[in-house]
Amino acid sequence: MSRRHIVTAGCVLTLTALTPSVVPAVVPVREASAFATSSTGKRKPPPDPIKQLPPGMIEALQRDFGLTRAQAETRLRNEARLTVVEARLRDMLGGCFGGSWLMGPLSETLVVATTSTADIPRIVAAGARPKVVAASLAKLRAIKQKLDESLPNHPTGGSVRYVDVKSNKVVILSRHAEATRLLVASVPVDRSLVVVQPSTETPRPF
C-alpha cells in the first residue's frame, strides 16, 4: 500500500475501509465525545490534537498532501472537531447510520450517510453533509462477515475484502475476478451491495 494510504488512515475518522492499523492522530471518537463538564459547570475543551501527534506526522502530511505546516495543522484540528460531530450523529442515527468520511484538502467537510431521508435535517443541523444510501453500515458489515465465512481463504476468494462507505458497497479485490464473482454468487447475500475489482494488491503486515 502507498505511503499516502498509511498517512491518511492515521488522520481521518475511524471508518470501515482498506487501511492499516496505525496510531490515530486525533482524539478517538468515544473519548472526544465524552469530555465532561468541570466542577464550575463549564464544559472542558478537548485537548489540542497538534500536541498529541506522533513525531513526524505534520511533516508527513505536508509531504504527501502538498500542504503548508499551517494547512496541515488546520486539517488535523478539523478532523478532531468533526470526529466529535460524527460520534454524536452516529449515536443519533442508530441503525440507519451508513458510515462517514471527510472531504476537502483540509478535511473541512464531514459527510454522513443514512438510509433514511428523515435524518437529513438532523445531519445538516449538526454541521455535516448528508448522503442517503441503500444499506446501513451494520448491513454492509454483516455482508462482509458472511463473505469472510463463506469464501475460501485463497486467491479465488479475493485477496482483500472491505466495506467502502463512500460507494456503499462491500469491495473484494481479487487476482481472479471472474472466479471470485462466481463464488460470491453462491453466497446468500445481497449481491447488489458487493463489487469485485481486479487487483494484484496483497495485504502484508506492518
Side-chain angles (χ1 to χ4, degrees):
M1 297 182 189
S2 69
R3 179 187 297 149
R4 183 184 181 94
H5 284 164
I6 296 172
V7 172
T8 303
C11 300
V12 300
L13 302 174
T14 305
L15 307 179
T16 305
L18 179 59
T19 51
S21 298
V22 297
V23 178
V26 299
V27 180
V29 166
R30 297 303 169 189
E31 181 181 338
S33 62
F35 285 105
T37 56
S38 66
S39 58
T40 62
K42 294 182 179 180
R43 191 169 183 80
K44 296 179 181 178
D48 186 350
I50 306 303
K51 297 179 180 179
Q52 299 185 334
L53 290 176
M57 180 61 75
I58 290 288
E59 292 75 14
L61 281 172
Q62 290 180 254
R63 178 191 64 229
D64 288 359
F65 294 99
L67 304 176
T68 66
R69 185 175 185 88
Q71 288 173 327
E73 291 181 355
T74 297
R75 178 180 175 122
L76 289 169
R77 289 192 173 102
N78 282 339
E79 290 167 353
R81 173 178 57 84
L82 292 173
T83 293
V84 179
V85 176
E86 191 270 355
R88 186 165 64 247
L89 284 170
R90 179 188 290 258
D91 289 340
M92 188 183 300
L93 302 184
C96 294
F97 179 72
S100 58
W101 58 94
L102 294 169
M103 291 178 58
L106 302 184
S107 296
E108 63 268 28
T109 302
L110 169 66
V111 182
V112 175
T114 177
T115 58
S116 174
T117 56
D119 291 328
I120 292 177
R122 294 193 290 178
I123 295 172
V124 173
R129 179 183 297 179
K131 181 176 182 180
V132 178
V133 294
S136 67
L137 181 58
K139 182 175 182 178
L140 293 174
R141 285 175 170 168
I143 290 174
K144 179 185 177 296
Q145 181 177 352
K146 185 67 176 179
L147 292 170
D148 288 342
E149 295 170 351
S150 304
L151 296 183
N153 189 23
H154 58 72
T156 56
S159 58
V160 176
R161 306 177 198 120
Y162 64 98
V163 171
D164 180 7
V165 292
K166 288 187 178 181
S167 66
N168 198 231
K169 305 283 187 182
V170 176
V171 178
I172 303 176
L173 305 183
S174 176
R175 292 175 179 267
H176 312 282
E178 286 304 320
T180 303
R181 291 188 185 101
L182 290 174
L183 289 173
V184 170
S186 66
V187 181
V189 296
D190 184 346
R191 292 195 296 277
S192 70
L193 297 174
V194 181
V195 60
V196 179
Q197 298 178 350
S199 174
T200 59
E201 188 167 6
T202 301
R204 53 193 175 92
F206 285 89

